[in-house]
């Protein structure tokens, strides 16, 4: 499991660099041919991790319902994100992972509602969700690497 957490931390460090190296305008820009922007992808990654690992384990998520509604699957950017929202996402990038690692080590994940992803992978436990989340984050990081070429 430690490897999954380290992979996730590496992924989040890459995402953090986007937040540090791109302006608010660039983070909010939706290039032609894309349906979202850099900041939406980061918010989506955070929300999906919480939904996969916590919500499906019947545990409270660290993110608000409002944040879930903005960034869950099937949404798209409806407004420009403010600097305050960017700062909040910066905190969530790492605080959600630290809490997940702690909760996992304390065996907090006792039940799980099985879920089959769009790619056809069936997640049967929080352990599966943590591992699958790395795949999900990699997909969105790839999209972000494409977006950055056009902003």
């Amino acid at each position: 499991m430690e490897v999954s957490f380290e992979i996730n931390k590496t992924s989040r460090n890459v995402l953090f660099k986007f937040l540090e190296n791109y302006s608010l305008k660039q983070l909010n820009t939706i290039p032609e041919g894309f349906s979202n922007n850099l900041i939406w992808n980061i918010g989506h990654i955070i929300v999906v991790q919480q939904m996969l690992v916590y919500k499906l384990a019947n545990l409270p998520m660290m993110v608000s319902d409002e944040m879930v509604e903005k960034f869950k699957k099937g949404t798209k950017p409806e407004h420009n994100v403010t600097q305050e929202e960017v700062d909040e996402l910066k905190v969530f990038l790492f605080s959600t992972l630290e809490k997940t690692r702690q909760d996992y080590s304390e065996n907090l994940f006792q039940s799980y509602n099985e879920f089959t992803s769009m790619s056809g992978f069936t997640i049967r436990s929080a352990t599966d969700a943590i591992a699958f989340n790395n795949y999900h984050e990699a997909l969105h990081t790839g999209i972000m690497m494409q977006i950055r070429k056009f902003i």
Side-chain angles (χ1 to χ4, degrees):
M1 240 357 257
E2 196 57 34
V3 170
S4 288
F5 285 121
E6 286 303 312
I7 290 168
N8 206 199
K9 184 177 178 185
T10 300
S11 170
R12 297 294 176 98
N13 282 324
V14 169
L15 298 174
F16 186 77
K17 288 178 185 171
F18 278 94
L19 295 175
E20 289 289 296
N21 295 325
Y22 289 87
S23 69
L24 191 56
K25 182 177 190 235
Q26 289 173 311
L27 291 171
N28 279 299
T29 298
I30 303 172
E32 189 175 326
F34 290 86
S35 59
N36 53 52
N37 52 30
L38 294 174
I39 198 67
W40 181 89
N41 277 279
I42 292 172
H44 176 73
I45 283 168
I46 292 166
V47 163
V48 167
Q49 185 268 348
Q50 288 289 290
M51 293 177 77
L52 284 174
V53 179
Y54 284 87
K55 187 173 184 179
L56 290 170
N58 302 310
L59 295 170
M61 296 186 294
M62 291 179 61
V63 298
S64 68
D65 291 342
E66 178 183 274
M67 189 172 173
V68 170
E69 288 305 311
K70 280 185 195 174
F71 297 112
K72 70 182 179 181
K73 179 182 160 215
T75 64
K76 61 183 181 179
E78 298 294 333
H79 73 285
N80 283 343
V81 171
T82 66
Q83 185 60 50
E84 291 76 24
E85 290 169 303
V86 171
D87 293 342
E88 179 183 43
L89 291 173
K90 282 182 185 179
V91 171
F92 276 131
L93 271 178
F94 298 104
S95 64
T96 53
L97 294 186
E98 291 163 12
K99 178 86 168 112
T100 303
R101 182 179 261 176
Q102 177 186 350
D103 290 346
Y104 190 85
S105 71
E106 294 174 2
N107 294 313
L108 196 66
F109 302 100
Q110 295 299 312
S111 66
Y112 196 83
N113 298 307
E114 190 174 290
F115 171 77
T116 301
S117 73
M118 285 181 57
S119 62
F121 182 78
T122 300
I123 302 165
R124 294 182 173 88
S125 68
T127 302
D128 291 354
I130 292 164
F132 179 81
N133 182 64
N134 286 331
Y135 165 76
H136 179 258
E137 289 195 18
L139 286 175
H140 284 277
T141 301
I143 292 166
M144 292 172 66
M145 289 180 175
Q146 289 179 312
I147 288 172
R148 73 178 178 187
K149 294 176 185 177
F150 299 100
I151 58 171

